[in-house]
């Protein structure tokens, strides 16, 4: 299943993120090993903006900085730990082994991953892939479910958007 939308400005991205956050909250209750979302798109496509909206909607009140140099930033949200990865500066996918990437995927956590292509071969697969494309003045977004959990999540997102 795939969902397409147009996010006319940053506010539209944040609004979209709040709908996705509500769907995520519901779907995470059915998961034991959490959920993974890949964010694709060129530099400046709006990946971090969506992550910021998601983390805020999930109850994080502080800043959301891009974890470009640290590769991962942890967030302790109500009940569920979240990890925001930005793999842009990852030199070699093998580095992920050294940072214990598996551990992040074994717990019931939310993983948001910018530039997942850099981890290809080692990074576990995603449940949902969000692709952003600059189409001025805003961004086109395409969301694809890439697992059974992802399908259930996308279903909930669709219900959420239809209801608002
Ligand atoms: N829907 C939107 N419409 C217009 N501008 C947007 C939208 N979403 C985000 N932006 C703007 O795009 C710029 C880049 O956003 P952001 O930092 O989220 O991109 P990114 O994809 O994370 O980039 P990078 O690959 O460098 O990490 C910001 O100035 C942000 O305000
Ligand atoms: Mg970013």
């Amino acid at each position: 299943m795939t969902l397409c939308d147009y996010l006319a400005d940053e506010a539209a991205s944040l609004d979209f993120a709040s709908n996705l956050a509500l769907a995520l909250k519901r779907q995470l209750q059915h998961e034991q090993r959490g959920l993974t979302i890949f964010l694709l798109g060129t530099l400046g496509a709006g990946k971090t903006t969506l992550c910021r909206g998601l983390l805020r909607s999930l109850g994080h009140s502080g800043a959301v900085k891009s974890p470009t140099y640290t590769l991962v930033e942890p967030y302790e949200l109500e009940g569920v730990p979240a990890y925001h990865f930005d793999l842009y500066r990852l030199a070699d996918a093998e580095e992920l082994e050294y940072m214990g990437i598996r551990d992040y995927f074994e717990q019931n956590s939310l993983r948001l991953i910018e530039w997942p292509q850099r981890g290809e071969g080692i990074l576990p697969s995603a449940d949902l892939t969000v692709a952003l494309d600059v189409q001025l003045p805003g961004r086109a977004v395409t969301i694809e479910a890439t697992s059974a959990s992802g399908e259930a999540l996308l279903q909930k997102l669709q219900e959420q958007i239809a209801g608002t």
Side-chain angles (χ1 to χ4, degrees):
M1 183 161 59
T2 304
L3 189 155
C4 299
D5 208 343
Y6 183 69
L7 309 170
D9 52 22
E10 189 167 328
S13 278
L14 298 176
D15 200 45
F16 182 80
S18 76
N19 278 323
L20 181 53
L22 286 166
L24 270 169
K25 260 193 217 172
R26 288 173 56 207
Q27 187 58 32
L28 277 166
Q29 292 170 2
H30 303 283
E31 304 294 334
Q32 260 98 55
R33 295 194 170 192
L35 291 163
T36 304
I37 300 181
F38 283 178
L39 295 118
L40 304 179
T42 51
L43 283 171
K47 303 179 293 297
T48 301
T49 302
L50 265 192
C51 291
R52 182 179 300 125
L54 271 173
L55 292 163
R56 291 255 172 86
S57 297
L58 290 170
H60 174 69
S61 52
V64 174
K65 44 188 174 168
S66 190
T68 303
Y69 290 94
T70 51
L71 297 181
V72 60
E73 190 70 36
Y75 294 88
E76 195 52 58
L77 308 172
E78 297 156 35
V80 58
Y83 300 97
H84 179 201
F85 293 81
D86 183 339
L87 304 183
Y88 187 69
R89 308 235 166 227
L90 193 71
D92 191 317
E94 296 227 333
E95 270 182 51
L96 291 174
E97 301 272 27
Y98 305 125
M99 70 186 278
I101 192 74
R102 270 166 235 278
D103 299 341
Y104 293 96
F105 285 77
E106 271 159 23
Q107 40 169 303
N108 198 7
S109 63
L110 171 64
R111 285 84 55 174
L112 304 173
I113 309 185
E114 295 184 44
W115 294 101
Q117 308 94 310
R118 301 280 201 268
E120 211 180 317
I122 300 213
L123 194 64
S125 58
D127 297 294
L128 214 65
T129 298
V130 177
L132 288 156
D133 187 37
V134 179
Q135 287 182 19
L136 296 174
R139 309 289 190 262
V141 64
T142 306
I143 305 196
E144 192 189 349
T146 45
S147 77
S149 291
E151 290 285 347
L153 174 58
L154 199 46
Q155 188 69 48
K156 290 181 172 71
L157 175 62
Q158 253 167 354
E159 289 165 14
Q160 193 64 46
I161 290 173
T164 54

